Amino acid sequence: MEMESCSYMLSLVASCFFFLCSFCHALLATRRSGNVCCGSRHHAPRSHPVLGCLVEFYRNRHRLLDWYTGLLAASPSQTVVVERLGARRTVVTANPVNVEHILKAKFGNYPKGKPFTEVLGDLLGGGIFNVDGEQWRAQRKLVSHEFTARALREQVGAALEAEARARLVPALDAAAATGGEVDVQELLRQFAFNVICRVSLGADPGEEMALPLSRLAAAFDAAAAIIARRGAAPVAAVWKAKRALGVGSERRLREEVEVIYDTITELIRGRRRKRPARRAGDDLVSRMAAAGYGDEAIRDMVISFIMAGRDTTSSALTWFFWLMTRHRDVEDEVLGEIESRTCGHDSGDGVVVGLDLDGSRKMHVLHAALCETMRLYPPVAWDSKHAAEADVLPDGTRVERGDRVTYFPYGMGRMETIWGADASEFRPRRWLQALAQDESVSPFKFPVFQGGPRTCLGKEMAFLQMKFVVSAMLRRFELRAVDENRSPVFVPLLTAHMAGGLKVTVRRRRHQNGACERAMK
């Protein structure tokens, strides 16, 4: 107890010292610039001398997404600049021209930067999502082998089918038989976790892991939540002091990361024993081992894979299935397209087989519905870079060296200047209209998978996985939200999720064969 009190006092002292230093720095900066929050002065958050926007930021800390969206919508350039005590000067933009400038035209000037990697480093280490420069290029080249058409057809397709047969469909079948409830979000998280483990480790984690899968999943959830709170903290010195002292949430983070590191390392060593490092197999672990990477580097890469592969697709699918419960006309259209592509593809044992890569690429209605889902509920709500040198964005916004520059997919999906007066509505047909006109939607207007040199390598794998899951589930099961009047809350951690999950009841579809026969005529 005395140790905890001592730690608390030391943390408080450290925070006060940093606050004083920041106060002096902010005072000098304010005198030099005469400006604290800008972008459009009439629409900037309320500012105070020295403190800047800290008061408004803290007041809106539980609704930052909507707060920033409102500020950006009111700004003529869809860009605001925010300065607040204890934080770097931050440029936040929802302007597609600015996003293209940051992600493509001036890519070299906008790395993730040390402030970003410091926040995530305790979990992601030196994995591909947490590095820049040559280290990033080398890892990207190596990882690109995981996303070739051959790999998607063989390794990823096999992993999806194996998991659907082993766990996903049986779980839904059991719920349909008993009338019980299922948390779709949790079910999809576990499915995605198992698939990405099969792809990256070349193994079924349920068979080779001494620790229960649920414990490892819980460790990832806890670690991601704590690290996300680091990034949103009004004053970074507080979490840094707690980390140095090993107290509070930072102590919990250290414990959860230890669980993750130990478990993943043991899985890697198990794969090494089964496949010597000199023999490169089809999985990421054996390929990295054959390339000379050590256990720590492989561990960091696998953790990055798991974080991306588990949470992004499961987040998008959770919101997709919720939207289907609200838009049955869209669900019927999607289901009709699925049945037209999958008729006659049931396996002999009656387990639904989802879409393969070639079938996935032909699913235009489903693709549109998934894109529209991610427009409104992006798996990554915002992404930040840090300016290596001073710059001026295309809309005239000044960027200083070291500034945090954030583009904001969540807000961009709600900008009427980008999507029109119906920007807040779920309308998948907007994507089909672009397809019919032989147009593609710019990745800088819809930066869910980033754009430019750092475009997500796993984009096609993500769509393949989402379309596989939707085809396997919707074709056989009808989902009904337990609480149909509930308006779920979008929680933007490292990757977004639905607060409280999505609890549904499950019923088998009775018209499946008839619909299939109609589609085949």
Side-chain angles (χ1 to χ4, degrees), residues 26-291:
L27 181 60
L28 291 172
T30 302
R31 287 177 175 174
R32 285 197 301 267
S33 65
N35 179 19
V36 178
C37 294
C38 62
S40 171
R41 277 186 173 275
H42 299 294
H43 308 298
R46 182 178 299 176
S47 173
H48 302 277
V50 181
L51 294 176
C53 306
L54 181 61
V55 174
E56 285 297 297
F57 182 90
Y58 187 79
R59 182 178 295 154
N60 289 281
R61 68 192 184 281
H62 298 305
R63 56 177 299 275
L64 288 177
L65 293 178
D66 293 334
W67 184 59
Y68 275 121
T69 298
L71 292 173
L72 293 166
S75 169
S77 63
Q78 279 73 64
T79 303
V80 294
V81 180
V82 176
E83 291 186 47
R84 56 185 173 85
L85 184 64
R88 290 176 179 270
R89 182 175 184 268
T90 301
V91 178
V92 185
T93 188
N95 186 326
V97 179
N98 286 347
V99 175
E100 183 172 7
H101 180 86
I102 295 162
L103 297 183
K104 183 179 179 182
K106 288 292 188 74
F107 172 75
N109 193 51
Y110 293 98
K112 288 183 176 290
K114 185 178 178 180
F116 181 95
T117 58
E118 185 178 26
V119 168
L120 297 177
D122 290 316
L123 175 59
L124 297 185
I128 189 171
F129 299 124
N130 204 43
V131 293
D132 290 308
E134 289 304 317
Q135 191 177 2
W136 165 74
R137 290 185 180 88
Q139 291 190 33
R140 186 176 175 90
K141 183 178 180 180
L142 180 70
V143 171
S144 65
H145 295 289
E146 306 301 312
F147 303 109
T148 63
R150 175 179 173 273
L152 292 175
R153 284 191 178 93
E154 297 179 7
Q155 283 78 51
V156 177
L160 289 168
E161 183 170 343
E163 276 304 312
R165 289 173 177 273
R167 298 180 178 91
L168 179 65
V169 174
L172 292 167
D173 260 329
T178 62
E181 297 177 5
V182 172
D183 183 346
V184 168
Q185 180 168 260
E186 190 55 38
L187 184 66
L188 294 175
R189 275 181 169 178
Q190 196 63 68
F191 175 83
F193 175 82
N194 292 348
V195 167
I196 204 65
C197 282
R198 287 178 184 269
V199 172
S200 60
L201 296 166
D204 181 344
E207 296 176 359
E208 300 196 13
M209 188 182 299
L211 186 77
L213 280 175
S214 58
R215 177 65 186 95
L216 181 60
F220 268 103
D221 287 342
I226 294 169
I227 284 177
R229 287 197 293 272
R230 280 181 174 182
V235 181
V238 175
W239 72 257
K240 290 182 179 181
K242 289 164 67 177
R243 180 178 65 179
L245 296 168
V247 298
S249 59
E250 291 295 319
R251 178 179 178 179
R252 169 83 186 282
L253 175 62
R254 186 179 301 171
E255 293 169 350
E256 300 298 346
V257 168
E258 184 177 352
V259 170
I260 295 168
Y261 278 13
D262 289 349
T263 306
I264 299 299
T265 299
E266 183 55 37
L267 283 170
I268 291 168
R269 289 173 180 168
R271 297 307 296 163
R272 281 185 181 273
R273 287 191 293 269
K274 290 187 176 183
R275 187 187 296 274
R278 65 181 180 275
R279 295 173 52 205
D282 291 327
D283 58 275
L284 177 65
V285 169
S286 60
R287 189 175 290 115
M288 289 189 72

Side-chain angles (χ1 to χ4, degrees), residues 427-449:
R427 195 171 72 84
R429 197 148 294 278
R430 75 176 83 239
W431 299 86
L432 295 174
Q433 289 170 349
L435 182 66
Q437 296 168 7
D438 198 26
E439 298 176 355
S440 59
V441 175
S442 166
F444 310 109
K445 174 181 175 179
F446 178 64
V448 170
F449 295 97

